[in-house]
Every structure is written in structure tokens, then in C-alpha cells.
């Protein structure tokens, strides 16, 4: 990944809508990074992170600059966790097919 590539860190419901609930946008050069995903980063006011019991956190290096996953992007994700969980490490270890 290049230092200026965009990285999207997002949370989506473990079960339910696949639309991201909260999104943080940074660049590769900003990592490693401590961050919080919460309702202030909600994509839609009616789909708040706090309204779900379990979420999956995904980090994606976007080669195209688009927040939508594209072939060739690099990504990693957590198992299902409760919103507000602390100390998560997201390892970017796969390529989007």
C-alpha cells in the first residue's frame, strides 16, 4: 500500500444490514492508529451503531479511493464484537477478490 492510499475503517451489523453503520476515513500513513467508532460517525441517523448487539469491524485499504470494496483492495476484519469494545486489533491480511 502507498502512504497516500485511503483506509476505511467501518463497523457493520454482524447480522442484518450490510450497509456500514459507522465509518472512519484515514490514509495508510496515519497507521497504526487508535480510534473509536461510535454514533457520531453514523452513516445514517436511523442506523446507529449503539442500536445493534453485535458488529464486525473492517479495515480496508482502497486502491481506487472508493469506500465500496473493489477487487485488489486490501482488508481485514474482526469477529463479531459488542459496540463499544476496546482494544481491538484489525489486521489487514487479505485481498478483495
Amino acid at each position: 500500500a502507498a502512504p497516500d492510499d485511503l483506509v476505511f475503517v467501518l463497523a457493520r451489523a454482524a447480522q442484518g444490514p450490510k450497509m456500514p453503520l459507522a465509518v472512519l476515513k484515514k490514509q495508510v500513513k496515519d497507521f497504526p492508529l487508535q480510534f473509536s467508532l461510535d454514533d457520531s460517525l453514523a452513516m445514517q441517523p436511523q442506523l446507529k451503531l449503539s442500536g445493534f448487539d453485535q458488529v464486525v469491524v473492517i479495515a480496508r485499504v482502497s486502491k481506487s479511493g472508493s469506500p465500496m470494496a473493489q477487487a485488489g483492495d486490501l482488508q481485514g476484519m474482526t469477529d463479531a464484537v459488542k459496540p463499544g469494545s476496546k482494544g481491538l486489533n484489525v489486521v489487514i491480511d487479505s485481498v478483495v477478490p
Side-chain angles (χ1 to χ4, degrees), residues 50-95:
S50 61
F52 291 83
D53 292 331
Q54 298 272 303
V55 297
V56 175
V57 179
I58 300 167
R60 181 180 310 114
V61 178
S62 174
K63 302 306 280 178
S64 67
S66 170
M68 300 296 293
Q70 308 264 336
D73 287 352
L74 308 172
Q75 78 175 12
M77 67 178 67
T78 67
D79 290 329
V81 297
K82 290 184 179 204
S85 294
K86 297 181 188 260
L88 299 175
N89 287 313
V90 183
V91 178
I92 298 173
D93 61 356
S94 63
V95 178

